[in-house]
Amino acid sequence: MATPVEELLNMLFDMVDEARNAPLSSEKCVIERDKALDLIEDVKAQLPVELAEARKVLNNRNELISNAKREAEELQKRAENEARRMISETEIMAAARKNAAEMMAQADHKSKEMRNAANQYCEDVMRRAEEALGEAHTEMRRVQAKFREALGLPNGTTSANRAYDAETDQ
């Protein structure tokens, strides 16, 4: 669709194009001055309106481009921040996994140490109990021997009253 200015210019062009040649010249023509001046005035009147509309369109276009650039920059910044956050979370997760693995290794090591210490303690308690039982057994034999001696009984032992010997049991 042609604008009013384009229509007026087309009318002026047609007027010049259809005009009769001036006498003795092929390059010059005769047109109605008043009509041509009226068309030129109409063009001059319409031109500022058209220019203002063109400026509005241009300004709108520039504003749209500006907004689009701003939005693109914001989107890019958000994407970069999100990427940084995700990388940070990944690093945090990796550090947490590493710490968890270290803690598990320490707990396993501590557990083995405690198991070894408990086993050693049990061995020590059983050894001491065995020694105490052995000493008690020896003391019982000595007391029994004194008791038999005091009663005047022979000191020999039969299988029925023989003393318990832990070493022969093994």
Side-chain angles (χ1 to χ4, degrees), residues 8 11-12 15 34-43:
L8 291 171
M11 288 171 60
L12 185 59
M15 182 185 291
D34 290 340
K35 277 188 174 181
L37 289 175
D38 286 343
L39 286 174
I40 291 173
E41 281 183 26
D42 289 345
V43 167

Side-chain angles (χ1 to χ4, degrees), residues 72-90:
E73 288 171 359
E74 288 175 13
L75 185 61
Q76 183 178 3
K77 284 179 185 176
R78 278 187 288 188
E80 288 172 355
N81 289 338
E82 182 68 14
R84 281 190 202 101
R85 185 189 63 78
M86 291 175 76
I87 288 170
S88 176
E89 285 179 3
T90 302

Side-chain angles (χ1 to χ4, degrees), residues 94-111:
R97 284 188 184 108
K98 181 181 175 187
N99 287 344
E102 288 174 2
M103 289 172 71
M104 289 297 289
Q106 288 174 354
D108 189 45
H109 180 71
K110 199 73 151 166
S111 169

Side-chain angles (χ1 to χ4, degrees), residues 108-127:
D108 189 45
H109 180 71
K110 199 73 151 166
S111 169
K112 286 178 183 176
E113 283 180 353
M114 290 175 73
R115 192 176 313 119
N116 289 339
N119 287 343
Q120 193 154 9
Y121 175 75
C122 287
E123 285 286 326
D124 189 43
V125 166
M126 290 193 310
R127 182 186 50 76

Side-chain angles (χ1 to χ4, degrees), residues 58-167:
L58 187 61
N59 288 339
N60 285 342
R61 182 192 73 106
N62 289 340
E63 189 175 325
L64 286 174
I65 290 172
S66 234
N67 288 340
K69 283 181 182 178
R70 220 179 3 253
E71 286 178 22
E73 288 171 359
E74 288 175 13
L75 185 61
Q76 183 178 3
K77 284 179 185 176
R78 278 187 288 188
E80 288 172 355
N81 289 338
E82 182 68 14
R84 281 190 202 101
R85 185 189 63 78
M86 291 175 76
I87 288 170
S88 176
E89 285 179 3
T90 302
E91 290 171 354
I92 289 170
M93 289 297 290
R97 284 188 184 108
K98 181 181 175 187
N99 287 344
E102 288 174 2
M103 289 172 71
M104 289 297 289
Q106 288 174 354
D108 189 45
H109 180 71
K110 199 73 151 166
S111 169
K112 286 178 183 176
E113 283 180 353
M114 290 175 73
R115 192 176 313 119
N116 289 339
N119 287 343
Q120 193 154 9
Y121 175 75
C122 287
E123 285 286 326
D124 189 43
V125 166
M126 290 193 310
R127 182 186 50 76
R128 282 188 276 144
E130 188 178 11
E131 288 173 0
L133 284 173
E135 288 174 9
H137 185 260
T138 303
E139 183 63 25
M140 272 182 51
R141 277 181 155 174
R142 191 181 59 73
V143 169
Q144 189 179 26
K146 279 187 178 183
F147 179 71
R148 284 181 181 265
E149 188 180 309
L151 290 176
L153 295 174
N155 211 1
T157 59
T158 63
S159 65
N161 62 3
R162 184 182 65 172
Y164 173 75
D165 185 8
E167 290 180 0

